[in-house]
Structures are given as structure tokens and as C-alpha cells.
Amino acid sequence: MLLNENQIFWLNMERIKDSLLFSDQEFADSLGLSLKEYLKFRQAVKMLPLNCVFEFAEKMNFHFEDLLAQDFKLNSLCIKENDIPVPERYTYATYSEVLPIRNIINYLENVRGLRAKTNLIRKFQLTEEFFNRENQKANIFLISDITTYLKKTYNFTDAEFLAMGHRTPHVVKGNFLRDKLTAPKSIEEVVSCFFEECTDLFDKNYDYKIFSMHNGQAVIDATPIKHVIEELGLGMSEFSNEEACLTRLGVLSSITWYKYGKNAPVTKIASVLDGDNSNRYLFDMNPFFKAKLTLLSSPSLLH
């Protein structure tokens, strides 16, 4: 039995979907379609819109014509079990968790809508699954490229990039961070716990240390890790960009949200982008001393 072009196309598409272990919903997302649209095209054995197919083929690293060939061979990027195709630029020195990028995408969807989020994912030839997958890693180029693109496309302000980092308590999965940061009895213990036990949750590109802590302020040092710089082939002043640093500042500021319901004032006082040997942050703990005193002095707030 000879198959027509549309039948061959859908047989090949199903092979790709199965190789990626995608559900119908996940595959529809990767095509930029709703589940209803995807199922309608598949049931009718009808060719998908050309712009959709071309973008998908580019993302998966093969030519559109390949999908119409009966002897179609799955690209090596597709056949790795449980793997997700990623552009080569983001496949080495993968020491970053994708949590900070999920923050950015969550913020973008909230302020610009679902279409903006979908366009961003397409732009970087990735999938929803890539960002939602547990223990997914990326390199520092991905967050830098995304923030550069958002700055150029939407002209986001510094405050908005900071707000992206503030999404952390609302985006992070599981209770590990919540449990860790609500258990300490004081703001000093919250800060110590985070920088000594939790930074690996979002960033393995920097070595975080508490440089000092006194007079209600903590100074935090974040030094780029030598082997990461070497693997990326970068100089210190090329490590990340200002927009990505602002989202990181937002993450650090948000660590008090779990226990106190508000973000901490944090400012960057030294930067590798300016030629310093590390990023250095001033973390102001004083508002949380005042919050505690207010609570203790107002019996009505305790009931």
C-alpha cells in the first residue's frame, strides 16, 4: 500500500513524539499548537501550517523535507531516551538550574501573556518540558541570551528584571526551600541557611560566601567558579550580563518572603562586569528586626 505525503508526514511526527516520550499535550506545546488544534490536524491526517512545521523542524535540527521521506531517520538529538533537544550553545558547562529562567518565563507570561511566553520558548528552540523538567540543567549563556532578548524586545526596566527574580517563592517546586527558610528563628539564621545550604538550587556558576554580618547588614560574595569560566571560554568581565545579574539580585532578595512575607533590600556593591573579582551584595536585615519588634509590641497582631 502506497502512502500519500500527509500519511508519511504523520507517521514521522508520531515517531518523533514517541522518541521524546511526549504526551499529546506536550507535543502540541512543542509545535506551538493547542491540544485541540493538534488532535484535529492529526485525526484528519492533514498537513500542519507550514510556518509551524518549519519552526518545529528547525528546533529539532532537521529539514522540513525529511518529514516527508519514508526512510526518515530520527536525528540523534531526538533518540536519546528522556533527552530534550537543546541548541548546541547551551549544551556545555551546564551548571545552572533552570529555576531562575522559570522565574523569568513566569513573569513574562503574567505581564505580557501566554503568546509572549510561547514566542520566547520558540525563539530559543526549546520546549515547555525543558523548563518544567526536574533537575534540568543549562549554562549561563541561556539566561544571558534570554534577558538580552527581553531587554531588546520589551525594553524591560531594571525594576522589572529584579521582579523576575522575586518570582522565586511562587515558582519553585516542592517544599524544600520553604521548609529551610521558615525553620530559622532569626533573620541572621535565614541568611546563613540560604547561602550555606540552598544556593545550589539555582546557581552553580558562582561560589557564594557570607563575607561579613554585623550591624543588621550582611555582605555576600559571589565569585565565578574558575572551571566554569574556563569551560565557557570567557573572561571575568564577560560572565553573564547586567540584566541576568538583576534577576539574580531578585532571587537573593526573595529569600525572606517565606518567613516574613516581604522581599529584602539587596544592592550590588561590586561586579565582575566592572572588573571586580567577584559580585558583592549588601543584604539589609534591619527591616526584619523592626518587623519583629512591631509584632512583639502589638498584642492584637498575635491573635
Side-chain angles (χ1 to χ4, degrees):
M1 175 182 176
L2 293 176
L3 300 177
N4 65 38
E5 194 173 72
N6 286 5
Q7 290 172 318
I8 294 170
F9 170 80
W10 276 105
L11 282 174
N12 289 334
M13 292 293 280
E14 285 299 296
R15 290 178 65 201
I16 295 170
K17 179 171 80 74
D18 291 343
S19 75
L20 294 172
L21 304 181
F22 275 6
S23 65
D24 286 344
Q25 180 65 70
E26 290 167 335
F27 199 51
D29 289 341
S30 73
L31 289 162
L33 299 171
S34 69
L35 178 60
K36 183 178 180 180
E37 289 171 326
Y38 167 73
L39 294 175
K40 183 178 179 181
F41 279 111
R42 188 179 70 179
Q43 185 174 3
V45 196
K46 182 179 177 183
M47 184 64 66
L48 296 172
L50 284 180
N51 65 324
C52 171
V53 179
F54 276 118
E55 286 183 8
F56 178 74
E58 184 179 69
K59 183 192 303 180
M60 300 296 292
N61 198 28
F62 49 70
H63 296 290
F64 164 66
E65 292 83 1
D66 295 338
L67 294 169
L68 306 178
Q70 282 192 277
D71 61 349
F72 172 70
K73 293 181 175 59
L74 286 172
N75 184 284
S76 60
L77 287 175
C78 303
I79 62 176
K80 295 176 184 177
E81 186 177 356
N82 290 325
D83 204 4
I84 298 172
V86 179
E88 184 179 358
R89 175 171 167 79
Y90 310 125
T91 60
Y92 55 95
T94 53
Y95 299 107
S96 299
E97 304 291 337
V98 296
L99 169 60
I101 304 177
R102 285 206 299 267
N103 292 342
I104 293 169
I105 291 174
N106 178 268
Y107 180 87
L108 179 65
E109 183 176 8
N110 284 340
V111 301
R112 295 285 178 166
L114 178 60
R115 177 54 58 186
K117 181 185 80 169
T118 302
N119 288 341
L120 175 69
I121 292 172
R122 285 179 179 173
K123 167 70 178 176
F124 289 92
Q125 300 175 32
L126 298 168
T127 65
E128 289 261 12
E129 176 68 11
F130 175 83
F131 296 107
N132 291 327
R133 190 176 179 185
E134 189 176 354
N135 298 322
Q136 181 67 54
K137 301 291 192 298
N139 65 22
I140 202 167
F141 286 146
L142 183 55
I143 190 169
S144 297
D145 289 355
I146 285 175
T147 52
T148 296
Y149 168 76
L150 293 177
K151 178 72 172 180
K152 181 179 179 181
T153 305
Y154 299 106
N155 197 29
F156 282 138
T157 64
D158 289 357
E160 288 176 293
F161 282 109
L162 187 69
M164 294 175 192
H166 285 161
R167 297 302 301 160
T168 302
H170 312 287
V171 173
V172 69
K173 297 179 179 180
N175 295 320
F176 175 81
L177 198 58
R178 177 181 299 279
D179 293 344
K180 279 286 185 182
L181 299 180
T182 54
K185 296 181 179 179
S186 67
I187 180 59
E188 295 99 333
E189 291 178 1
V190 170
V191 173
S192 296
C193 176
F194 181 78
F195 288 104
E196 292 171 4
E197 302 179 40
C198 304
T199 54
D200 279 357
L201 276 179
F202 69 94
D203 193 356
K204 295 183 178 71
N205 297 294
Y206 293 86
D207 182 22
Y208 290 87
K209 301 286 187 185
I210 299 174
F211 181 77
S212 65
M213 187 185 291
H214 61 272
N215 295 331
Q217 294 184 325
V219 175
I220 312 300
D221 231 24
T223 306
I225 296 173
K226 184 179 178 181
H227 70 81
V228 179
I229 294 177
E230 291 174 347
E231 286 186 50
L232 290 171
L234 298 175
M236 287 279 280
S237 62
E238 302 170 296
F239 204 59
S240 193
N241 61 20
E242 194 58 49
E243 291 73 35
C245 284
L246 284 166
T247 67
R248 186 178 305 110
L249 192 68
V251 172
L252 303 184
S253 171
S254 74
I255 69 171
T256 52
W257 181 270
Y258 287 111
K259 188 171 183 68
Y260 300 100
K262 62 181 180 179
N263 300 312
V266 183
T267 54
K268 189 162 70 169
I269 55 178
S271 175
V272 296
L273 299 178
D274 296 330
D276 296 304
N277 291 326
S278 67
N279 290 334
R280 186 163 285 189
Y281 304 98
L282 183 66
F283 194 108
D284 187 1
M285 299 181 290
N286 284 294
F288 305 97
F289 295 131
K290 294 175 183 176
K292 182 178 180 180
L293 288 173
T294 300
L295 182 64
L296 292 175
S297 62
S298 303
S300 61
L301 296 177
L302 301 175
H303 300 284

